[in-house]
Amino acid sequence: MADSSSKPLRIVAISGSLRKASYSAGLVRAALELAADIPGLDIEAVSIAGLPFLNTDLEVNGKYPEAVEHFRSKVRQADGVLFASPEYNYSMSGVFKNAIDWAGRPPNV
């Protein structure tokens, strides 16, 4: 863990559920509360609610839609990512997979 004189550890927290009262969103909120008491740890919740479905036709001249650019920027600037995702049909939720797909577009963040 970083001490108070060094750069804080920056984590983005992503809930794989869009429902506000989901357990995944609750875990992200709990992480934010706990991190508030830990010096050198900065956790920011990043919403995936505004991401369009992955469609490479939306990639124009190497640029992505504004919501995607914002999401990718937040992930790129972080030192790590905290995922809280429900299990759907023995896999991850579709909206969560969509976010991972956008993050994995070139250049991969």
Side-chain angles (χ1 to χ4, degrees):
M1 178 57 63
D3 65 31
S4 60
S5 64
S6 64
K7 181 178 134 187
L9 183 63
R10 297 180 60 189
I11 305 295
V12 293
I14 301 169
S15 170
S17 176
L18 301 182
R19 192 170 61 85
K20 290 179 185 174
S22 75
Y23 290 121
S24 299
L27 289 170
V28 168
R29 285 190 300 274
L32 293 172
E33 287 180 27
L34 291 170
D37 294 332
I38 301 174
L41 179 60
D42 181 20
I43 299 180
E44 177 183 4
V46 176
S47 175
I48 60 174
L51 296 177
F53 289 124
L54 180 69
N55 176 350
T56 56
D57 290 341
L58 298 176
E59 300 174 27
V60 179
N61 298 323
K63 298 289 183 185
Y64 299 100
E66 186 177 336
V68 174
E69 290 284 2
H70 177 75
F71 171 73
R72 289 172 53 86
S73 173
K74 291 293 185 178
V75 172
R76 188 180 305 107
Q77 294 170 13
D79 297 309
V81 181
L82 171 66
F83 299 112
S85 183
E87 176 267 322
Y88 287 122
N89 297 321
Y90 306 103
S91 187
M92 66 185 79
S93 68
V95 294
F96 187 59
K97 172 72 166 84
N98 185 58
I100 291 172
D101 288 343
W102 275 120
R105 297 296 301 152
N108 186 335
V109 299

